[in-house]
Structure formats: structure tokens, C-alpha cells
Amino acid sequence: MKRLLICSCLTLTSFVGYAQIDVNLDVDNTRQEAQTQSDKGIKKNRLFKQAQDFVDKKWVKNVDTLYIQNPKQVWRISLDSYLSQSDLQMKSTIDGTNLGAEGDVRCKPRIRTDVSTSVGVRVGYKGLAAHYAFNVAGDKGRDFSLSSSGTWYCVHFRLHEFKTKEPQVHYEGDFYPEDGGDPERMSFTNTWALSTPIKAKTMVLDGYYIFNKRRFSYKAAYRQSVIQKRSAGSWLAGAMFYYSDFRFDDVANALLILNMGNMGRIKQWEANLGAGYGYNYVPAKGWLISAMAMPMLTLYNRVKSYNYDSYVLELAQDDEYHDPDEVAPENRWLKEMGTDAHSNRIRLNFNARLSITYNWSRYFVNLNGQFYNFGYHHKSNSGRLNDWFANAAIGVRL
């Protein structure tokens, strides 16, 4: 009996010991997991704090507070209304045989959108901002932008997409009269009413280095993240990259493609460097009028056009006249026939901006606009795109 009691006590002691070990292990594991999660949380908070400190330093570093005021509120939200227009003008010399003319014909296609009205919203945190707008009047489209601004720099990206159905083509050449006879010198413009619209996309990425970073603020005029208290100006160095894509390569536009010299799509890339001057004028408390002008050199300029064969071209090459509208839908076709790409020589470009701002309490009203001009020239072909917008905004700092 004594032996049995001793064995039972030893067995119970062993079970208790093992249980205590398991409990200790579970506690240790729980502590380790909690410590690991805590370490991960600390690392995430540390990374977030470093990113926030980086933005804060870029926002307030090395400024003269007599000229530039940093509001206590770091968030901004504004409602915007945009007016914008894109105008692509091209010049080329094409074979007039397919157009009822003798010899070459000078063509001046022009793809110009109506002045479009859009509404949108802009959200900003210190020197960072994002904006989105969509058209409510004029040609269909949308506008999206991102920007980052510090004391010594600003970078801005803008994407503009739109559609238009009424391009124009101006012709100059020796055309045969409809009633027969010798060719006559004619000059006229046709406006096309397209069933399938021209789709266009433009992208601009531009950035500026501010030399007078202590007293001149770009973001006070165009982002309202700080307030310019006294007038100041600065020399600026800038770079700009531009991309555009105009396409109307649809079988419904085959006749227009023929009149565009068999071209149904055109892309353009540009890279520019320049220097200019900006000035912030403060006529009274709360007011700011800002202007910037910057000539730029286009160091890289490449154009790529897409050529197409179509049933309309086939009809035009026939000896007899055929009305494209009388061709059955199942017999209408369009086929890509290759591309032409070329680079252009260095040329002078121009970039300009204007802004008017009024600040009071936590609120602000801003009017600003920008004008871009891009061009290309290669042999007998040339083109120029004018792209501008004007923006009105009312916002609050939070």
C-alpha cells in the first residue's frame, strides 16, 4: 500500500510537471508571437513616420517665414471646374489622283475639340495632390492628374482623354470640275461628321527646379498647400515629357483616312529642357497673382503614323466612280499597311502658366491656366498641337 501511494504521488508529480512545462511553453510562444507582432507594428509605424517626416521636411524646410506661411491644416479638398481644348493641326502633301485632282494636293487636317467643360475634385496632403474630372459639356472626355511639390521642386503628371466627331481638312490643288473639263485651282475646307469619333489621349509629365526656394513658392500659386505672404520671384529650370495618340482607325472612317493620305493614327513623343522665370505678386493680404514663362528646347521629338488600305482606296483607284456609301456593310474593310516613324530636329517650344488665388481663414479660391505647344516637322509633313486648360476651384484646408 505504501509503495502504491508513493508511485501514485510520483506519477501525479510528473503529470503536473509536464503540464507546467506545456503551460510555460504556451506562455512563451504567446509572448514571442505578441513580441513579433509588436515588432512588425513598430516597423510599420516607423516606416510611416519616416515617410511622414520626409513629406514634412520637403514641405517646410528652409523657407523664410516672412514670405511663406505654412498653415496648420495639412489636408485640402476642393471642387474644380475646367475649361479645356486640344487643337492638332497637320500639313502634308499627298497624291491627288485618288481625290479627283491633278498632281499633288496640299492637305491641312485639323482635329480640334470643342471647348469642353468638366467638373472634378482635388484632394491634397501638404505638397501632394490628386485630381480627377469628367466632361459635362462639349466633347466627351476625362482629366486626371497627380502632383508633388516641395520647397525647391514641383512635379506634375496630367492625363487627358477625349473624343471628337468633327475634324476638318483643308485642300489646295488642281481639281477636276464635276461637269468635266480641265483642272482648276481650288482651295476649300471640308468638315467631317463622323459616326465613329476620333479618340485622343495626351499625357504630360513636367517638373521644375526652384532656385529661390526660401522666398518663392510654386505650390502657393498652384496647389494652395502654403500661403505666399510677400512678393517674390525665382529663376526656374524645367523638364517636360509629352506623349499623344490620335486614332480614327475604324472602317466607318475609311473615307477620312483616304483624305488624310491613308493615315489612320498618329503618335508623338517629345522630351524638352528649358529655363524660365516665375513671379508671385502679393497686392494685398490674402491675394496672390502668379505668372510663369519658360522657353524650352525639344531635344527628342519622334512621330509615328499608321497607314491603312481600305475598300474606299480600292474604289478610288478604279477608273469608274463609285459612291462608298453604296457599298454593302459586309464588303467594307480596313487593313493596316505598316507604319512610318521618324525623328525631328531640335526646335524651340514654349510653356506658360498663370494663377490668381485668394486665401481667407481656412478657405481659398483659385483660378489658373496653362498653355502647351508641341510641334514636329519631317520632309513635307508637319504638325502642331496646342493644348490649354483653365481651372476654377474653391476649397478648404482641413
Side-chain angles (χ1 to χ4, degrees):
M1 184 70 179
K2 182 185 282 186
R3 289 181 180 179
L4 180 61
L5 182 61
I6 293 172
C7 289
S8 299
C9 289
L10 290 174
T11 302
L12 180 61
T13 302
S14 299
F15 281 139
V16 170
Y18 284 126
Q20 183 66 38
I21 291 173
D22 289 341
V23 170
N24 290 338
L25 287 174
D26 290 342
V27 171
D28 290 340
N29 289 337
T30 302
R31 286 176 179 174
Q32 289 178 358
E33 290 177 0
Q35 183 65 35
T36 301
Q37 292 178 356
S38 177
D39 291 342
K40 290 182 179 178
I42 292 173
K43 289 180 180 179
K44 289 181 179 178
N45 291 335
R46 188 180 300 163
L47 290 173
F48 178 78
K49 188 66 169 58
Q50 289 175 349
Q52 188 177 34
D53 290 343
F54 175 80
V55 175
D56 290 344
K57 290 178 181 179
K58 299 301 180 184
W59 190 51
V60 301
K61 186 179 180 181
N62 296 329
V63 298
D64 188 336
T65 55
L66 293 177
Y67 285 79
I68 299 174
Q69 175 187 345
N70 294 288
K72 295 180 180 179
Q73 302 84 7
V74 295
W75 287 93
R76 305 175 311 284
I77 185 168
S78 62
L79 298 177
D80 296 5
S81 177
Y82 263 76
L83 294 177
S84 61
Q85 186 178 43
S86 296
D87 185 5
L88 175 64
Q89 302 176 51
M90 297 175 283
K91 297 179 181 179
S92 62
T93 301
I94 64 176
D95 183 4
T97 304
N98 299 327
L99 304 180
E102 182 181 59
D104 292 337
V105 173
R106 291 282 293 170
C107 289
K108 297 179 181 179
R110 187 174 190 178
I111 301 172
R112 179 174 57 178
T113 66
D114 292 335
V115 177
S116 301
T117 303
S118 61
V119 294
V121 62
R122 184 185 303 274
V123 177
Y125 173 75
K126 298 188 177 180
L128 305 175
H131 172 262
Y132 179 81
F134 59 91
N135 286 10
V136 295
D139 293 312
K140 295 181 179 180
R142 61 177 180 170
D143 200 286
F144 173 75
S145 66
L146 292 171
S147 64
S148 174
S149 304
T151 56
W152 55 270
Y153 79 97
C154 59
V155 178
H156 177 246
F157 169 80
R158 181 191 178 211
L159 169 64
H160 184 205
E161 295 181 337
F162 58 90
K163 298 178 181 179
T164 182
K165 289 186 175 182
E166 295 186 348
Q168 295 180 342
V169 182
H170 181 76
Y171 305 91
E172 295 179 7
D174 297 322
F175 290 87
Y176 290 98
E178 293 183 1
D179 55 357
D182 296 330
E184 300 176 2
R185 191 69 182 178
M186 296 183 186
S187 178
F188 57 94
T189 300
N190 279 346
T191 298
W192 295 77
L194 303 178
S195 58
T196 301
I198 295 173
K199 300 176 183 179
K201 177 191 297 183
T202 63
M203 290 189 294
V204 178
L205 175 64
D206 56 347
Y208 310 99
Y209 178 84
I210 302 166
F211 288 91
N212 186 12
K213 60 185 179 182
R214 286 179 51 80
R215 296 181 176 180
F216 172 86
S217 176
Y218 177 92
K219 56 189 176 181
Y222 300 100
R223 298 294 173 263
Q224 289 75 52
S225 58
V226 300
I227 298 173
Q228 186 86 37
K229 297 168 62 177
R230 294 186 180 183
S231 300
S234 177
W235 290 102
L236 305 168
M240 178 184 295
F241 176 79
Y242 166 81
Y243 167 79
S244 68
D245 183 3
F246 289 79
R247 60 183 307 175
F248 41 97
D249 49 346
D250 189 279
V251 69
N253 300 328
L255 187 56
L256 173 63
I257 291 173
L258 173 66
N259 283 261
M260 297 280 282
N262 301 323
M263 181 181 68
R265 185 178 185 183
I266 183 170
K267 292 182 178 181
Q268 184 180 1
W269 298 262
E270 277 197 14
N272 305 270
L273 290 177
Y277 191 80
Y279 191 77
N280 285 349
Y281 173 57
V282 182
K285 183 179 179 180
W287 285 95
L288 173 61
I289 301 173
S290 179
M292 183 195 77
M294 181 174 292
M296 308 188 84
L297 284 178
T298 302
L299 302 179
Y300 178 80
N301 188 345
R302 186 169 179 80
V303 177
K304 185 176 183 180
S305 60
Y306 294 74
N307 304 314
Y308 292 85
D309 189 10
S310 70
Y311 74 98
V312 175
L313 179 59
E314 186 178 74
L315 294 178
Q317 292 172 340
D318 198 336
D319 292 336
E320 297 182 5
Y321 173 76
H322 301 273
D323 188 348
D325 293 334
E326 296 179 355
V327 177
E330 61 271 16
N331 294 326
R332 299 175 185 179
W333 53 272
L334 186 71
K335 183 172 64 175
E336 185 174 335
M337 295 298 291
T339 62
D340 292 325
H342 55 267
S343 299
N344 300 275
R345 61 178 180 269
I346 295 176
R347 63 181 294 272
L348 184 65
N349 210 334
F350 191 75
N351 181 20
R353 299 201 71 161
L354 178 67
S355 171
I356 302 174
T357 305
Y358 179 65
N359 297 281
W360 78 99
S361 183
R362 296 187 298 119
Y363 305 93
F364 58 86
V365 174
N366 174 256
L367 299 173
N368 73 81
Q370 186 161 8
F371 175 79
Y372 298 107
N373 174 264
F374 305 98
Y376 69 90
H377 188 279
H378 178 71
K379 297 182 179 178
S380 60
N381 299 316
S382 63
R384 182 175 299 276
L385 175 70
N386 296 322
D387 192 351
W388 65 267
F389 70 85
N391 175 42
I394 181 169
V396 60
R397 298 182 178 92
L398 303 173

